[in-house]
Amino acid sequence: MRGARVVVHDIHHARRAVSRAHALGVDLTLVSAPGAAATLGPAVFREMIATVRAELPATTISIDAILDCGEDPGPALQALRSGCTYICSTAPQAVFIKLSNIAEQCGGAVVHGPLNALDLGDDVTDDALDTWLRDNAGDNSA
């Protein structure tokens, strides 16, 4: 996962983050709202990400996505089964290790939350978003 992490709550947030990252030429990791695996659902999140990727003009930026699954392993397992590559979990260590092993078998990864990310649900200005994207454009693979 590369680029600044930005929490998106809906398609409008995702489009805004992708548009600003594209304009700046920086990679981006879109992160769902906390616990979105249980509330929004993996299918809706995957479709939102697919939509913004398809709308993006030809570019060299990378757009990754992380679905936040909270502490409950149920939504995390559902997310992995439904094709989400990267998920975030706050599950206890023993459960987190099991989820990580399953994710690895599926070609994905689990990151431990909460994640350091800019939340667009907090009325972030375009200037603040641009600054965050530039300042956090490095690799967030951990």
Side-chain angles (χ1 to χ4, degrees):
M1 294 160 278
R2 295 178 298 247
R5 292 177 176 156
V6 177
V7 175
V8 296
H9 296 263
D10 56 34
I11 190 78
H12 305 294
H13 286 165
R15 285 178 172 140
R16 180 177 173 216
V18 168
S19 174
R20 303 306 299 171
H22 180 260
L24 295 169
V26 297
D27 294 333
L28 175 67
T29 297
L30 297 173
V31 181
S32 73
T39 56
L40 182 66
V44 173
F45 184 70
R46 272 193 349 271
E47 185 61 31
M48 179 174 64
I49 300 306
T51 298
V52 295
R53 282 179 175 148
E55 293 172 351
L56 187 65
T59 183
T60 58
I61 71 166
S62 169
I63 302 171
D64 290 321
I66 302 173
L67 178 61
D68 189 301
C69 298
E71 185 177 27
D72 186 352
L77 291 171
Q78 180 187 8
L80 292 170
R81 277 194 304 269
S82 70
C84 291
T85 305
Y86 301 115
I87 64 170
C88 175
S89 175
T90 56
Q93 187 65 21
V95 174
F96 183 85
I97 291 169
K98 290 177 184 177
L99 288 173
S100 294
N101 291 336
I102 294 167
E104 188 176 312
Q105 293 171 18
C106 297
V110 183
V111 294
H112 198 273
L115 298 176
N116 182 30
L118 180 69
D119 191 334
L120 292 186
D122 293 336
D123 294 327
V124 175
T125 66
D126 282 346
D127 286 341
L129 176 55
D130 289 352
T131 299
W132 175 265
L133 291 170
R134 277 191 303 270
D135 291 352
N136 294 278
D139 188 354
N140 280 318
S141 56

